[in-house]
Structures are given as C-alpha cells and as structure tokens.
Amino acid sequence: MDRKLDHTSSYQRIGPSQFSDLTGFYDAQKAPANLTETRRRVDAFVNKHSSTGRRIVLVTSGGTTVPLEAQTVRFIDNFSAGTRGAISTEQFLERGYAVIFLSRQYSLLPYSRHYSHSKNCFLDFMKPDGLGGITVAPQFTPAMLKVLEKYNSVKQQGLLEVVNFVDVNEYLFLLREITASLSTIRERAMFYLAAAVSDFYIPLGKMVVHKIQSGDGALHLELDQVPKVLSPLVKEWAPKAFVVSFKLETDPSILISKAKTSLARYGHQAVIGNILSTRKYHVILITNEEEKDIRLPEKEADAGAEIEGLFIPELISRHEEWIRQASLQN
Amino acid sequence: MDRKLDHTSSYQRIGPSQFSDLTGFYDAQKAPANLTETRRRVDAFVNKHSSTGRRIVLVTSGGTTVPLEAQTVRFIDNFSAGTRGAISTEQFLERGYAVIFLSRQYSLLPYSRHYSHSKNCFLDFMKPDGLGGITVAPQFTPAMLKVLEKYNSVKQQGLLEVVNFVDVNEYLFLLREITASLSTIRERAMFYLAAAVSDFYIPLGKMVVHKIQSGDGALHLELDQVPKVLSPLVKEWAPKAFVVSFKLETDPSILISKAKTSLARYGHQAVIGNILSTRKYHVILITNEEEKDIRLPEKEADAGAEIEGLFIPELISRHEEWIRQASLQN
C-alpha cells in the first residue's frame, strides 16, 4: 500500500491474501461451463490467422463482477462501459490485426458501440417506408454506412472473435486458456489488457448461497485479493508475446510510479497509464525506456477523433520492433 | 434477520443503521445536480395528463449502484438488466396509462429493449441498399415494424417520461421528488417499484475519495443500511396512491412471509413476489386479501408471451377498484 488511508474510511485491510501467488487459485475455483468449447473456438481462430502470418491481439474489455452470493443478486463491479476496448479493437482491425475480444457481457462492442449506450434511442433512426419496409432516416445514413461497411468486411474475413465473461472468475479462467492458445504464435501475439479487473473477490468456499437479507444492522464484507495473473502470463504462459497492461487511477501523483513498479514486477513491455477524469484525451505510454505523454488536441476530439487512434499506432510500431528483434536472435 | 447465517459466510452484521427511520438521510447526503430540472419536467408531465384524467404510473427499473469511492472506480451493484420494468412499461402504455420510467442508466428501455442486450448485433439487421441508403433486412422487418409503430405512437402522444439514475443516492432523491409530483393526482397514481434498490450503502461522510489501492491484504468493507423509503412514501408522501412493491428472493421458503411482513409494515396495497430463477414464468400477487399464483404456460412463453401481460391487468383492475372505493368515500 502506497498511501495512508483516510481515518473516516469505511474499509481496511485484514491480513494476507490466500492465493497471492496464484498457487491453488485455479484448483479452488470452479471453471466456467463453456471453457472447453471456447478454447476450441479460439484455437481454430488462432490457427487460421497464424497460417497467413497475421498478427493477433487479445483485447480484454469491460469490468469484471465479483458476486457476493452464489445465487447472485448482488455483486461488486468496476466502472467500465468497455469504450476503450471497443474503440481499440476497431483500431487494431483497421491496422491489419486479427482480434480476440474478451469482453464483459453487454459492454460496448466494436462497431455497434456507435449506436449503443447512446442518448439517441436506436428506434429514432428508423423510418417505416410506407410500403411495409423500414429504412434508416437519411440524416443518419452516411455515418451508419461507414460503420456498417467496416463491420461487414471484418465479419466476412473472420477477423474478430468475441468471447464473453461476467465475473472475475470466468475472466481469469478464459484469460489463461486464450493465452495458452495465443502463445503458439510467439512474438506475433499482443496482449492488450484493458479490462477493469477486480482486485478483490470472495472465494467460492466463503460465499453464501442465498440473497443476503437486509436486517436491522450494517453489513460487513470481507474480500480476498485476486491473484496477480499478469506475473505467470508474462513469465510462463506466453513469455514471447508483447504485453501491454493498463493502469487507471484517480490520483495523478501516483500514476507513473505505479506503472513503473508494475513493469519492474511483471517484466512486460508497456503500460498505458490514464486518469479516470481525463482518460479520453490523455494517456501516458510507459515502457522501460520512456514515458511518452500522448494527448488528443481538443479540436480533433471535437471533430470525433479518439485517442486510441494516436497511441495504438505507437504500440504497434513497438510490437513490430519486438518481432524484428526476436527474428534477429533466431 | 429471519435466517441463520452460514458459518463460512464472508459477511456479518455490525450494529444498528444510522438512518433506519430516514431521519437525517436526505440532509446528510448530497442531492443530484439535475434534481430541480427533473422535478420541473415531471411536474409538466403530470399536469398535462392529469388534466385529461389519465392514470399515471411510476415504474422504477434496474439496479442501483453503491459507490465505494467518491471518484468512483468500484461499486456494488444489484443484478438487474431492467427487463421487468421495460416490459411492464409497454404493458401499462398499451392499457392507457401514462408512464414515468425511473430507470438505471443504460438498462433496458421499453421498445428498444427488443434490440438491446441481444445475441444479435443491431448491425446484423441492416443492409446497404446499394444506392447510398440502408434498409432493415426483410426477415427482421415485420417484427421491427410493430415495435416501431408503438414506439412512435407513444412518442407522438408524449405518454412516456424517462428519468435516469445510477447510484442509490440519486434514486432516493429522484423518487422523493417524483412522488411529491405524482401525489397531486391522488388515487389515480400508481407506484410500481420494480427497481432492485440496494439495501446497503456507504454514507458520503465515510467514503474515501480516491481509488482503493490493491495492497498485500484482503479488503474489509463496512456498509450502512439504506433507509426504508417505502414507509414515508406510503404514509406521508403519497398516502392516496396505489402502491405495488416487489420482492425478489432466491429462497422460495421465505418469499410469502417476507411479502406479508412488508405489507403489514408499510401499509401499501400489493407485493409482486418472485424467485430469481423462475421470475420470467411465475410470480405471486400478494395483497392483504389474497395470494394469487400467476404462471405463464410454457407454450405461451415459447410463443413470445411475457408474464407481465398476465399480472399487470390484475394490478390495473385492483387499481381501478381502489379509485372507485375512494370516489365512493368522497
């Protein structure tokens, strides 16, 4: 812990985590039902694109839930609509990558994100044509046509594989399987870990079955720490891959030091640092060699540009260098 | 509390709640910024429909969040996509009610719900017509046309007013304002409180500002009980209105007794009881006079029928009787 807690704080720490080194975590928790089928699907996707030499990126997106009950009514969630992941996926696809999109169910998806979570109801775009058909109202057509064409092209070429999760347990199991699959293409794999993964959870063995009843008192919750999966991912599961993690903070004064600690601890290639309130206009790309400040000028933002269009090309050029260096060593 | 807690439970109770009688709650918490503007909008809606004698129902929908940090990265949430509230709103509108829809941001909305949170991406419905326009693919047109016509009719007549909330604090402030507005039409108002409102929250004064840091230990959270707002709503804020609350449980053995306790404690008119796993096919309508089991036959469910189409007419007939009884007394 790197800062003092407020004395009026409603939380506190209580002892070490059960599986801080991941030992035992996967044995103690229950694998999601669709794990084998998903692995098969991802293997097929990786094999197909591997045979053409295409680079593949795993983009993780959205927040993970932490169920408080086995028959879940309540859960802890992380703030994330999945905007970063959905935009980034479009950027990678436009730049020739195939994308495995590991994303929270019902969070934003590439392409359709332009029309979901919108102030405008989707039905406001539609007009009966008077002949039994429905057309998109003319004022919305040009923008939608552009999105639709990109979406259809990606679908036709089979460049996008979507895998859904809801809770942190599903996420951790799916991540391990997909990583095993992606590790087969070695340096050509990129991991772009943008999901807002919970740091805390309630282990299966400690969870109550039924809905927590509201009684006459306050509620005390005790959560264990989620094991830091980045460590085995980088060191054991996919040691040749190019790995990018994200650091989201609300306090700017701790952002860079936390990113550097993370790079040193896990040994991966890059951290994208961002602050909650400015994350759409400002990120810092942090590697062992540099801290690069990347800002989206206000004018460009107003014109609809997105900061992912600035920093993803930076990541891609570093990934290309990573592949080049590896080929020199072989 | 009406059942024993599991000994392996990760939660416990810790003393009485700060504002269990609501005294002080609204003073200690901060009102949402849009409260005055929302009240004005709702007043105008109520006045407009009140002048034509139309009945008005407040439908609350979706889960409330409970922020764990003032600059919120993490929050507790209640399981709810807002399906019940969105379907019910369509049912009330079809039966002549005007509806105030107090709903969690980004949860399902009436009409558009047929195309959100769907397995099918919305873009899969769209086809470029080759002439620069976009049409809805023929196989999806008949169903969408029905929805679109209803949506447009409701919009034209101004029968639906949507108010959004995210956290439990916003919900409680907005509910009080809307109730004050609706109370002016007395018996012709119905409250249909389907939102999954959190039972616990962290008061403003106890909340930390910045993102909780993941350290080397587990996490202890302490939450206060949310005041039971149904009591003042029924007894003081809108004592003439017809009020329906919801009870969602996972344990069927406690459902009816909890519903009856609620009716006795708050003095409102009806509870819709349902079990998490069967809520789409089975509800129990509980009033002081009866417990009515309402089930959607499997065949009808398969044909696309929804259980709200069965129990909302039951509620409406009881509301009509409520209005008739009141008119006899005046």
Side-chain angles (χ1 to χ4, degrees):
Chain A
M1 295 217 9
D2 46 13
R3 62 189 187 80
K4 271 188 91 177
L5 292 177
D6 188 333
H7 279 302
T8 60
S9 163
S10 57
Y11 68 86
Q12 53 173 299
R13 289 290 139 54
I14 44 165
S17 177
Q18 200 177 354
F19 301 124
S20 55
D21 61 350
L22 221 77
T23 316
F25 174 85
Y26 285 101
D27 294 333
Q29 295 288 116
K30 204 176 151 196
N34 64 349
L35 194 63
T36 312
E37 185 268 329
T38 303
R39 174 62 186 270
R40 216 172 349 235
R41 191 155 57 91
V42 171
D43 278 347
F45 183 82
V46 170
N47 288 338
K48 173 179 149 183
H49 294 297
S50 164
S51 66
T52 68
R54 199 182 279 272
R55 281 168 275 164
I56 307 178
V57 58
L58 170 69
V59 175
T60 69
S61 182
T64 61
T65 67
V66 175
L68 303 182
E69 301 127 338
Q71 291 195 44
T72 308
V73 174
R74 297 189 183 85
F75 51 87
I76 294 182
D77 207 338
N78 275 54
F79 164 82
S80 172
T83 314
R84 179 83 83 205
I87 299 176
S88 301
T89 295
E90 292 181 23
Q91 289 286 341
F92 280 115
L93 287 165
E94 242 166 79
R95 287 168 170 79
Y97 279 70
V99 181
I100 300 167
F101 187 60
L102 178 58
S103 125
R104 163 74 174 275
Q105 187 184 25
Y106 302 142
S107 69
L108 291 178
L109 291 168
Y111 307 111
S112 76
R113 63 145 178 134
H114 297 277
Y115 301 98
S116 17
H117 288 205
S118 154
K119 291 270 166 206
N120 294 320
C121 172
F122 137 81
L123 292 166
D124 289 324
F125 295 133
M126 301 292 144
K127 264 180 53 165
D129 65 3
L131 302 164
I134 302 176
T135 58
V136 173
Q139 68 269 36
F140 303 114
T141 303
M144 195 185 289
L145 211 48
K146 269 192 217 162
V147 173
L148 188 57
E149 276 162 5
K150 286 182 193 170
Y151 173 77
N152 284 338
S153 160
V154 164
K155 202 163 79 169
Q156 256 164 9
Q157 297 178 76
L159 289 170
L160 175 61
E161 190 68 36
V162 178
V163 178
N164 280 326
F165 63 84
V166 176
D167 65 38
V168 64
N169 186 63
E170 285 174 323
Y171 172 84
L172 291 172
F173 272 94
L174 289 165
L175 179 64
R176 188 174 63 161
E177 286 303 309
I178 294 168
T179 301
S181 191
L182 259 184
S183 69
T184 59
I185 66 163
R186 301 168 55 100
E187 292 81 7
R188 277 185 294 120
M190 191 197 292
F191 288 79
Y192 180 91
L193 305 171
V197 181
S198 176
D199 293 314
F200 305 101
Y201 78 120
I202 300 182
L204 201 55
K206 288 189 182 178
M207 207 184 289
V208 293
V209 173
H210 285 298
K211 185 181 175 188
I212 299 169
Q213 296 295 314
S214 68
D216 299 317
L219 179 73
H220 224 137
L221 285 173
E222 187 185 314
L223 292 98
D224 280 24
Q225 202 175 352
V226 169
K228 297 291 182 191
V229 81
L230 193 52
S231 181
L233 189 152
V234 172
K235 291 169 189 156
E236 300 160 37
W237 301 346
K240 304 288 185 190
F242 186 83
V243 178
V244 184
S245 73
F246 280 73
K247 198 50 89 193
L248 175 72
E249 295 293 340
T250 61
D251 180 356
S253 71
I254 63 173
L255 180 62
I256 289 180
S257 71
K258 285 191 66 84
K260 297 211 145 187
T261 306
S262 173
L263 281 179
R265 182 174 298 159
Y266 305 116
H268 58 305
Q269 284 65 53
V271 175
I272 299 292
N274 54 156
I275 295 294
L276 185 64
S277 57
T278 60
R279 69 196 185 283
K280 294 189 176 174
Y281 316 102
H282 179 211
V283 305
I284 307 173
L285 166 58
I286 300 139
T287 67
N288 279 324
E289 292 77 35
E290 59 184 334
E291 293 159 28
K292 187 161 187 173
D293 220 57
I294 299 171
R295 287 171 198 269
L296 184 67
E298 207 174 318
K299 237 196 231 169
E300 291 181 33
D302 291 346
E306 293 162 328
I307 194 165
E308 289 78 4
L310 298 182
F311 72 79
I312 286 181
E314 300 269 355
L315 289 175
I316 290 178
S317 74
R318 281 158 188 76
H319 186 203
E320 284 165 350
E321 179 60 19
W322 177 258
I323 295 169
R324 206 181 60 83
Q325 289 295 338
S327 73
L328 293 180
Q329 286 164 22
N330 291 336
Chain B
M1 293 218 8
D2 45 16
R3 62 190 188 81
K4 271 186 91 176
L5 292 178
D6 188 331
H7 280 301
T8 61
S9 163
S10 57
Y11 68 87
Q12 53 174 297
R13 290 291 138 57
I14 44 164
S17 178
Q18 200 178 353
F19 301 123
S20 54
D21 62 350
L22 220 76
T23 316
F25 174 85
Y26 284 100
D27 295 332
Q29 294 289 114
K30 203 176 150 195
N34 64 348
L35 194 63
T36 312
E37 184 269 328
T38 303
R39 174 62 187 271
R40 213 171 354 234
R41 191 154 59 89
V42 170
D43 278 347
F45 183 82
V46 170
N47 288 337
K48 172 180 150 183
H49 294 297
S50 165
S51 66
T52 67
R54 198 182 281 270
R55 279 167 276 164
I56 306 178
V57 59
L58 170 70
V59 175
T60 69
S61 182
T64 62
T65 67
V66 176
L68 303 183
E69 301 126 338
Q71 291 196 45
T72 308
V73 174
R74 298 191 183 83
F75 51 88
I76 295 181
D77 207 338
N78 276 54
F79 165 83
S80 172
T83 315
R84 179 83 82 204
I87 298 175
S88 301
T89 295
E90 292 180 23
Q91 288 287 341
F92 280 115
L93 286 165
E94 242 167 79
R95 287 167 171 79
Y97 278 70
V99 181
I100 300 167
F101 188 60
L102 178 58
S103 124
R104 163 73 173 276
Q105 188 184 23
Y106 303 142
S107 69
L108 292 177
L109 291 167
Y111 307 111
S112 77
R113 63 149 176 130
H114 297 277
Y115 301 98
S116 14
H117 288 203
S118 153
K119 290 272 167 206
N120 294 320
C121 171
F122 137 82
L123 291 167
D124 289 324
F125 295 136
M126 300 294 143
K127 263 181 52 166
D129 65 5
L131 303 164
I134 303 175
T135 59
V136 174
Q139 67 269 36
F140 303 115
T141 302
M144 195 187 289
L145 212 49
K146 271 193 214 162
V147 172
L148 188 58
E149 277 162 2
K150 286 183 193 170
Y151 174 78
N152 284 338
S153 161
V154 164
K155 202 164 79 167
Q156 255 164 11
Q157 296 178 76
L159 289 170
L160 175 62
E161 189 69 34
V162 178
V163 178
N164 281 326
F165 62 85
V166 175
D167 66 37
V168 65
N169 186 63
E170 286 173 323
Y171 172 84
L172 290 172
F173 272 94
L174 289 165
L175 179 64
R176 189 174 64 162
E177 287 302 308
I178 294 168
T179 302
S181 190
L182 260 183
S183 69
T184 60
I185 65 163
R186 300 166 57 98
E187 293 82 7
R188 276 184 296 121
M190 191 197 292
F191 288 79
Y192 180 92
L193 305 170
V197 181
S198 176
D199 292 314
F200 305 101
Y201 78 120
I202 300 182
L204 201 55
K206 288 189 184 179
M207 207 184 290
V208 292
V209 173
H210 285 298
K211 184 182 176 188
I212 299 170
Q213 296 294 314
S214 69
D216 299 318
L219 179 72
H220 225 138
L221 285 173
E222 186 185 313
L223 292 97
D224 279 25
Q225 202 175 353
V226 168
K228 297 290 182 192
V229 81
L230 193 51
S231 180
L233 189 153
V234 172
K235 288 168 190 157
E236 299 160 38
W237 300 348
K240 305 288 184 188
F242 186 83
V243 178
V244 185
S245 73
F246 281 73
K247 202 46 93 197
L248 175 73
E249 295 293 340
T250 59
D251 180 356
S253 72
I254 63 174
L255 180 61
I256 289 179
S257 71
K258 285 191 66 83
K260 297 212 145 186
T261 305
S262 173
L263 281 178
R265 181 175 298 160
Y266 304 116
H268 59 304
Q269 284 65 53
V271 175
I272 300 292
N274 55 156
I275 295 295
L276 185 64
S277 58
T278 60
R279 68 197 186 282
K280 293 189 176 175
Y281 315 102
H282 178 212
V283 304
I284 307 173
L285 166 58
I286 301 139
T287 67
N288 280 324
E289 292 78 36
E290 60 185 333
E291 293 159 28
K292 186 160 186 174
D293 221 57
I294 299 171
R295 287 170 198 270
L296 183 67
E298 205 173 320
K299 237 197 234 166
E300 291 181 35
D302 291 345
E306 293 162 326
I307 195 164
E308 290 77 4
L310 298 181
F311 73 78
I312 285 181
E314 300 269 355
L315 289 175
I316 291 179
S317 74
R318 281 158 188 77
H319 186 203
E320 284 164 348
E321 178 61 19
W322 177 258
I323 295 170
R324 207 180 61 82
Q325 290 294 338
S327 72
L328 293 179
Q329 286 164 22
N330 291 336

